Amino acid sequence: MNFDLVIIGAGPAGMSAAIKAAENGVSVAIIDENPEVGGKLLGQLYKDSKSGWWIGQKIADELGKKLTDLNIAFFLEEQVCGIFPRWEVLLSSGERLHGKYIIIATGAAEKALPIPGWTLPGVMAIGAAQMLTNYHRVKPGEKIAIIGIDPLSLTIAYDMRLAGIHVVGIYLPKKSEFSHMKAEPKQLISYLSNFVHVLPNPFLKLFGKMLKYPVIQNLAITYYPSFGIKVFGVPLHIRKAVVEIVGENQVDAIKVEKVDKNGSANGKMEEVTVDCVCISGGLYPLGEIARVAGCEFAYLEEVGGYVPLHNENLETTQAGIFTAGNITGIEGANVAIEQGNLVGLVISDRLGLLKNSKEIIKAKKKVLLAREEAVISFQPQIEIGKEKIAELWNKRMNE
């Protein structure tokens, strides 16, 4: 089957790109491995102090209706098995889609964070708990511990509280070669300073900006209460780490130990009874399909890991293949949506269907504005990372 544009990934970036392109007369096919569109939007639910409730399911439904109204071709519950020049996409069903242009909007995946006992039934990634709680309306457990402190774990702790779940606390992981910064209170305090302004705790809000300074960080760690500081009604522990998840046939408890400023064991062990443990190891850009297509990659810690090299139009080193969303760096849904809009316009222009090319300039500004106004930055140095990508792109183009 032939299309002007084939989009891989029906999350916020892919859907927005499809809508913007189709509105300009581009024939579009959109592929996703899930039975419905929406991607990570389907599990998102949080309250923004500026704009009120962000209900991902509602936004996904609205975008999905637009896709249907524009007669975009859906290929759901399909996996991409290969991409071949110029450009053919092979699906798991055997279907072959031909597109003049490709957008890879595959989003992000969760990083593994192994902890002794993590294979027990009742242990899950924080994203799984998010989908169970917010989308399927199923409680992951009645008494839950969360391991890993980041915007995702804090948000989902709030969601679970709304669902009537007892979240006993959010803890550090055991210090290991896998946990890195997540197990080090000193680095974690600095990281927290980037988003404490959105946390409903007067103490954290008051000292949030001051936490950027090493002297204040040391004081905060030294005098951090052993019982934690409550955020969304959940104790946040930066001086306690989960060293083991215990149970015979399923999760029964966690073993928690006090740690020093560097995350090393520094106190007695205690056991906390739980029936579920959610592990938050962070996110990384999901770029395997772009690799299959032959796109060049770069590793940048500031954006979350390996990303395809791309220019300001989000076109990769493979001419005609574009990216959008978290595959370009870990950010929020608003940025992904604006990136999708941008790519949809760029491809419309390439096909000679865009009436006013100035719309592209406006779209680029909207991406920057969405990044600037993001309530939470998953990667505090994302702007530095984006500048590095631009430098690497320019260097490659000048070789």
Side-chain angles (χ1 to χ4, degrees), residues 304-337:
Y306 286 97
V307 294
L309 280 181
H310 54 272
N311 61 19
E312 61 178 6
N313 291 328
L314 301 180
E315 187 170 15
T316 69
T317 53
Q318 290 284 7
I321 295 185
F322 292 76
T323 59
N326 277 347
I327 187 177
T328 71
I330 306 303
E331 299 188 80
N334 280 326
V335 176
I337 288 169

Side-chain angles (χ1 to χ4, degrees), residues 55-69:
I55 305 173
Q57 177 72 65
K58 182 180 177 182
I59 296 166
D61 290 344
E62 290 170 354
L63 292 173
K65 186 178 185 306
K66 288 182 180 179
L67 292 173
T68 303
D69 292 344

Side-chain angles (χ1 to χ4, degrees), residues 365-384:
K365 289 180 179 177
K366 286 183 178 180
V367 172
L368 296 176
L369 185 62
R371 183 170 295 134
E372 184 182 318
E373 294 183 344
V375 177
I376 294 174
S377 178
F378 290 88
Q379 299 292 135
Q381 295 184 308
I382 190 73
E383 292 183 357
I384 294 173

Side-chain angles (χ1 to χ4, degrees), residues 140-214:
E142 293 294 336
K143 193 176 181 182
I144 294 177
I146 297 175
I147 304 172
I149 300 172
D150 54 43
L152 194 61
S153 64
L154 289 164
T155 302
I156 297 169
Y158 177 51
D159 296 342
M160 290 195 285
R161 283 270 298 170
L162 290 176
I165 298 166
H166 179 200
V167 183
V168 299
I170 307 175
Y171 301 87
L172 302 181
K174 177 183 179 180
K175 196 170 185 178
S176 71
E177 60 184 304
F178 301 101
S179 55
H180 305 298
M181 181 198 79
K182 284 186 171 292
E184 298 184 8
K186 207 168 185 179
Q187 290 192 49
L188 192 61
I189 279 284
S190 178
Y191 176 59
L192 278 170
S193 69
N194 292 285
F195 55 88
V196 291
H197 60 284
V198 300
L199 302 179
N201 183 289
F203 175 81
L204 289 175
K205 282 187 176 181
L206 178 63
F207 293 101
K209 291 183 179 179
M210 297 170 65
L211 288 174
K212 292 182 181 293
Y213 301 102

Side-chain angles (χ1 to χ4, degrees), residues 137-284:
R137 302 293 192 267
V138 173
K139 292 182 179 181
E142 293 294 336
K143 193 176 181 182
I144 294 177
I146 297 175
I147 304 172
I149 300 172
D150 54 43
L152 194 61
S153 64
L154 289 164
T155 302
I156 297 169
Y158 177 51
D159 296 342
M160 290 195 285
R161 283 270 298 170
L162 290 176
I165 298 166
H166 179 200
V167 183
V168 299
I170 307 175
Y171 301 87
L172 302 181
K174 177 183 179 180
K175 196 170 185 178
S176 71
E177 60 184 304
F178 301 101
S179 55
H180 305 298
M181 181 198 79
K182 284 186 171 292
E184 298 184 8
K186 207 168 185 179
Q187 290 192 49
L188 192 61
I189 279 284
S190 178
Y191 176 59
L192 278 170
S193 69
N194 292 285
F195 55 88
V196 291
H197 60 284
V198 300
L199 302 179
N201 183 289
F203 175 81
L204 289 175
K205 282 187 176 181
L206 178 63
F207 293 101
K209 291 183 179 179
M210 297 170 65
L211 288 174
K212 292 182 181 293
Y213 301 102
V215 174
I216 303 300
Q217 289 172 11
N218 282 325
L219 286 171
I221 296 168
T222 301
Y223 295 104
Y224 199 88
S226 60
F227 51 81
I229 291 177
K230 286 196 174 182
V231 175
F232 304 123
V234 178
L236 179 66
H237 298 286
I238 63 169
R239 291 293 298 271
K240 288 184 178 181
V242 175
V243 297
E244 187 180 0
I245 303 166
V246 296
E248 292 188 10
N249 299 315
Q250 62 182 44
V251 173
D252 293 322
I254 54 171
K255 288 185 178 180
V256 180
E257 194 168 24
K258 288 183 180 180
V259 297
D260 62 19
K261 295 178 182 180
N262 299 311
S264 300
N266 190 29
K268 294 181 179 180
M269 191 90 67
E270 65 175 307
E271 194 164 290
V272 181
T273 302
V274 294
D275 60 5
C276 176
V277 176
C278 301
I279 302 177
S280 186
L283 301 170
Y284 69 92

